[in-house]
């Protein structure tokens, strides 16, 4: 059969590879976890969870929430940081869902982590966004956690080295972006590097290019993921703003101290959405050459992807497309949530709903409320 359909070999390799490649965002599954990250549960239970009947939260995270080896190790060494990692998972998932809520691909697949659908494993544009927002959210959460004093190993940012522009002094407590980025690199980038190294080892000199294809691609995808992680962190760095506080007699601003504060996560999401729109497709084989030929500056800020995405109009499980049948659209809008765009030209149906509510409520005497019953008709539009 393989003689007759040689392309099948390619397809099988293709599918196999990409099912493996989203491994380092599986920790986003912590958005649903209710693990207790405390040392008590670990001390009672030094590494040998099964025997004592209680498991260390890091072992559970590895088994159930898709932590890979290096992440589980960091978890054990820095457990006090783990509740913040969990917060970051929620922040990343929520931001992604909010940013994409009006679009055909609406980030709902992030909810099924640690099981990832092909839209988030084939090195797509969507995957690029998710990597960037995850790395950004972890950086963000840790930077805040440091400044809020809830971590033992870090506190407020050190004062900026550049002299203040204006009549203020550096002071206050800046969000510790440096430490946040450092942690995000250890937790996410190191995991990705581990995958890349493993793939590199599987490239055998005596094999043909085709035989090595899977390992090479895996390594290249990891390199791209690392790049996208960096873009996410950079967006935060670029969004830093100066916040100030006045000191002085009765509200006068005789002395002003300022520090650098993070942008809002919504801003980070919006900025990354722009980068998603302008993301750049990379030829798999030539990633490293590509980097060399393009001017570094030009490429360094863009999100990168390998596989073209489907239009997400129709359901196709192989591509991780859920389709838009039944999605609520807006007849008057011109944006991506308009019925025309969201329903991909298939049309829509109008759902009329009657709402029965208590209304026009009035107080009688002191303590008695009387309402009328109102019926209102509302219309919804759903893609056919
Ligand atoms: C520690 O974790 C256990 C569960 O493993 C939980 O019952 C307990 O309340 C936690 N203790 C603290 C102080 O959070
Ligand atoms: C996102 O899209 C999926 C598939 O089209 C749909 O089932 C889900 O309800 C959507 N979520 C939101 C919040 O619109
Ligand atoms: C539909 O879009 C219009 C124009 O963007 C907006 O004013 C309106 O609030 C939207 N309707 C709903 C139900 O979201």
């Amino acid at each position: 059969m393989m003689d007759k359909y040689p392309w099948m070999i390619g397809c099988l390799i293709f599918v196999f590879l990409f099912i493996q490649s989203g491994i380092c965002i599986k920790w986003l599954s912590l958005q649903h976890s209710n693990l207790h990250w405390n040392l008590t549960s670990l001390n009672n239970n030094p590494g040998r969870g099964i025997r004592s009947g209680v498991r260390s939260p890091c072992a559970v995270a590895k088994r159930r929430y898709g932590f890979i080896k290096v992440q589980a190790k960091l978890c054990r060494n820095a457990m006090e940081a783990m509740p913040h990692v969990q917060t970051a998972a929620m922040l990343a998932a929520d931001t992604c869902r909010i940013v994409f809520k009006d679009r055909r691909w609406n980030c709902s697949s992030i909810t099924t982590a640690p099981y990832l659908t092909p839209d988030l494993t084939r090195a797509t544009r969507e995957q690029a966004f998710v990597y960037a927002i995850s790395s950004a959210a972890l950086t963000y959460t840790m930077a805040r956690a440091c400044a809020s004093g809830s971590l033992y190993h870090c506190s407020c940012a050190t004062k900026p080295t550049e002299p203040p522009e204006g009549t203020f002094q550096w002071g206050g407590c800046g969000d510790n972006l440096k430490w946040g980025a450092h942690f995000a690199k250890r937790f996410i980038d190191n995991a990705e590097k581990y995958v890349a190294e493993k793939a590199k080892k599987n490239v055998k000199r005596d094999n043909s290019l085709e035989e090595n294809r899977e390992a090479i691609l895996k390594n290249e995808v990891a390199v791209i993921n690392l790049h996208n992680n960096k873009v996410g962190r950079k967006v935060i760095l670029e969004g830093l703003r100066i916040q100030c506080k006045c000191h002085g007699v009765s509200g006068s601003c005789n002395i002003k101290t300022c520090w650098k504060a993070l942008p809002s996560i919504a801003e980070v999401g919006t900025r990354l959405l722009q980068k998603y729109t302008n993301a750049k497709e990379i030829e798999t084989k030539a990633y490293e050459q590509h980097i060399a030929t393009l001017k570094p500056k030009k490429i360094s800020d863009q999100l990168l992807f390998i596989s073209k995405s489907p239009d997400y109009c129709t359901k196709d499980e192989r591509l991780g497309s859920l389709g838009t049948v039944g999605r609520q659209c807006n007849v008057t809008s011109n944006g991506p949530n308009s019925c025309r765009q969201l329903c991909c030209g298939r049309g829509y149906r109008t759902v009329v709903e009657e709402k029965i509510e208590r209304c026009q409520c009035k107080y009688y005497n002191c303590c008695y409320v009387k309402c009328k019953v109102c019926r209102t008709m509302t219309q919804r539009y759903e893609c056919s």
Side-chain angles (χ1 to χ4, degrees):
M1 193 171 88
M2 288 301 183
D3 295 342
K4 245 175 158 177
Y5 304 106
W7 52 267
M8 270 192 73
I9 302 171
C11 279
L12 287 176
I13 289 173
F14 186 79
V15 169
F16 178 67
L17 158 76
F18 282 125
I19 281 169
Q20 297 285 313
S21 100
I23 204 152
C24 300
I25 45 168
K26 290 190 171 182
W27 65 277
L28 290 178
S29 61
L30 288 183
Q31 63 184 290
H32 312 297
S33 93
N34 51 6
L35 283 175
H36 292 279
W37 306 98
N38 61 30
L39 295 163
T40 339
S41 57
L42 187 71
N43 286 344
N44 290 338
N45 166 35
R48 287 280 163 268
I50 306 171
R51 248 173 263 163
S52 62
V54 195
R55 281 177 158 266
S56 108
C58 300
V60 177
K62 192 168 168 218
R63 201 168 43 106
R64 211 184 300 157
Y65 295 101
F67 276 28
I68 77 169
K69 210 165 154 188
V70 286
Q71 290 173 329
K73 192 171 164 207
L74 181 56
C75 171
R76 286 194 298 274
N77 291 337
M79 199 176 295
E80 59 153 12
M82 296 317 288
H84 303 286
V85 174
Q86 192 166 341
T87 308
M90 288 188 261
L91 194 64
D94 288 344
T95 308
C96 182
R97 283 187 289 248
I98 290 169
V99 165
F100 281 92
K101 71 177 188 326
D102 287 341
R103 297 178 173 243
R104 291 180 192 157
W105 184 82
N106 67 1
C107 204
S108 60
S109 51
I110 212 172
T111 312
T112 63
Y115 307 101
L116 297 172
T117 42
D119 53 326
L120 293 181
T121 59
R122 294 170 55 246
T124 57
R125 194 186 277 268
E126 288 73 30
Q127 184 175 340
F129 180 90
V130 169
Y131 266 76
I133 194 73
S134 304
S135 158
L138 189 55
T139 305
Y140 186 96
T141 312
M142 287 300 163
R144 273 274 151 85
C146 290
S148 72
S150 57
L151 291 175
Y152 179 74
H153 290 287
C154 63
S155 56
C156 307
T158 51
K159 277 185 198 164
T161 47
E162 75 264 22
E165 286 173 31
T167 56
F168 64 84
Q169 299 163 2
W170 290 120
C173 177
D175 293 316
N176 197 338
L177 185 56
K178 202 169 158 196
W179 204 90
H182 172 71
F183 187 89
K185 277 188 213 162
R186 282 181 72 192
F187 192 77
I188 309 180
D189 285 24
N190 280 357
E192 201 68 56
K193 282 179 188 156
Y194 174 82
V195 171
E197 281 307 311
K198 238 167 120 183
K200 248 188 193 162
K201 278 193 195 130
N202 283 333
V203 178
K204 303 268 168 15
R205 190 173 285 176
D206 297 336
N207 282 0
S208 69
L209 191 65
E210 201 48 44
E211 283 167 318
N212 273 332
R213 191 181 139 83
E214 183 196 328
I216 292 172
L217 269 176
K218 219 181 205 174
N219 179 45
E220 282 181 341
V221 172
V223 173
I224 287 180
N225 288 339
L226 283 169
H227 170 88
N228 292 331
N229 289 344
K230 194 159 96 191
V231 172
R233 292 191 293 266
K234 200 163 172 214
V235 163
I236 298 195
L237 181 66
E238 287 166 355
L240 281 180
R241 63 186 51 159
I242 291 178
Q243 256 174 25
C244 299
K245 199 172 173 182
C246 286
H247 314 269
V249 202
S250 59
S252 76
C253 210
N254 292 341
I255 304 166
K256 202 158 84 166
T257 51
C258 303
W259 59 92
K260 289 194 176 171
L262 300 173
S264 73
I265 196 74
E267 256 170 80
V268 175
T270 311
R271 188 78 191 94
L272 284 176
L273 180 63
Q274 289 165 357
K275 290 190 181 285
Y276 163 89
T277 311
N278 299 323
K280 182 163 189 65
E281 183 176 357
I282 291 289
E283 290 230 0
T284 46
K285 265 189 217 148
Y287 177 73
E288 270 154 54
Q289 294 155 10
H290 205 103
I291 288 270
T293 55
L294 279 171
K295 290 209 175 67
K297 186 140 183 28
K298 201 167 155 205
I299 203 166
S300 66
D301 276 0
Q302 272 179 305
L303 289 177
L304 304 178
F305 65 96
I306 293 177
S307 305
K308 283 205 171 60
S309 300
D311 58 16
Y312 294 107
C313 281
T314 50
K315 195 177 164 91
D316 186 340
E317 276 168 19
R318 281 170 315 147
L319 296 174
S321 168
L322 297 169
T324 62
V325 174
R327 286 282 299 278
Q328 204 164 314
C329 63
N330 183 328
V331 274
T332 50
S333 140
N334 286 319
N337 69 339
S338 66
C339 293
R340 193 175 52 83
Q341 283 191 48
L342 195 64
C343 310
C344 309
R346 294 186 307 261
Y348 55 90
R349 59 199 188 94
T350 309
V351 183
V352 180
E353 272 176 348
E354 188 181 27
K355 259 197 198 150
I356 300 174
E357 287 172 328
R358 279 149 51 93
C359 59
Q360 294 176 19
C361 298
K362 280 200 183 113
Y363 280 98
Y364 288 93
N365 301 325
C366 83
C367 318
Y368 176 63
V369 183
K370 208 174 166 188
C371 298
K372 285 187 179 166
V373 173
C374 295
R375 290 161 186 270
T376 47
M377 304 297 263
T378 57
Q379 287 188 339
R380 277 189 297 125
Y381 306 93
E382 284 181 359
C383 293
S384 319

